[in-house]
Amino acid sequence: MSDFLQQFGDEIKKNIPGYIAVAVTEIKSGISYFSDSVVADFDPELASAFNLEVVKAKLNAISALGLQQNIDDIMITLTNQIHIIDISENNEYFIYLAVDSNKANLGMTKALLNKFKKDITQKM
């Protein structure tokens, strides 16, 4: 699994313009299985821990409303960053990604995340 996650991190870092940080976190336990950042004071594991609460709250809201829906992704737009929380198809993991909004190509970013989201569901 670690080789797959390292390859995932390398591909994300290499192919996503404006890349800042990424983490892959298990929803049930909150454990981050992979994290990386190109900004020294940006801690993707800490960011994932806080965003785990966002994911859990939304999953609880969907359940309480009786919706038969899955979360595809959650996007948070800050002043100069975009944070994307991409949930695996089995609702067991999420990819947390932070990019510089001035450099990011959202179409390319979401396409790559969708590709890796499928891999994460199958390989983890």
Side-chain angles (χ1 to χ4, degrees):
M1 178 170 60
S2 63
D3 289 341
F4 159 71
L5 288 174
Q6 188 60 53
Q7 179 185 0
F8 158 77
D10 292 344
E11 288 291 318
I12 291 288
K13 189 187 302 188
K14 181 173 67 175
N15 292 308
I16 294 186
Y19 169 82
I20 296 172
V22 69
V24 176
T25 303
E26 184 179 48
I27 293 171
K28 185 177 180 181
S29 69
I31 295 171
S32 285
Y33 289 100
F34 178 82
S35 66
D36 178 72
S37 178
V38 295
V39 177
D41 60 348
F42 193 107
D43 184 348
E45 288 187 30
L46 181 60
S48 284
F50 280 105
N51 283 293
L52 176 60
E53 299 307 314
V54 172
V55 171
K56 286 182 175 180
K58 193 60 188 171
L59 288 171
N60 288 337
I62 289 169
S63 177
L65 293 169
L67 301 175
Q68 300 300 312
Q69 299 286 315
N70 290 321
I71 300 171
D72 186 31
D73 63 50
I74 300 167
M75 187 165 34
I76 301 166
T77 306
L78 304 176
T79 306
N80 61 359
Q81 295 179 2
I82 299 170
H83 295 205
I84 301 172
I85 304 163
D86 209 348
I87 313 295
S88 67
E89 294 171 346
N90 60 7
N91 283 342
E92 292 183 17
Y93 302 94
F94 70 91
I95 302 169
Y96 167 77
L97 175 69
V99 295
D100 181 324
S101 60
N102 295 314
K103 298 175 183 173
N105 175 324
L106 268 179
M108 180 189 306
T109 300
K110 291 187 84 166
L112 276 170
L113 283 176
N114 283 333
K115 173 189 178 291
F116 286 114
K117 179 168 59 173
K118 288 180 186 355
D119 291 345
I120 284 172
T121 299
Q122 295 170 356
K123 296 181 181 182
M124 291 187 64

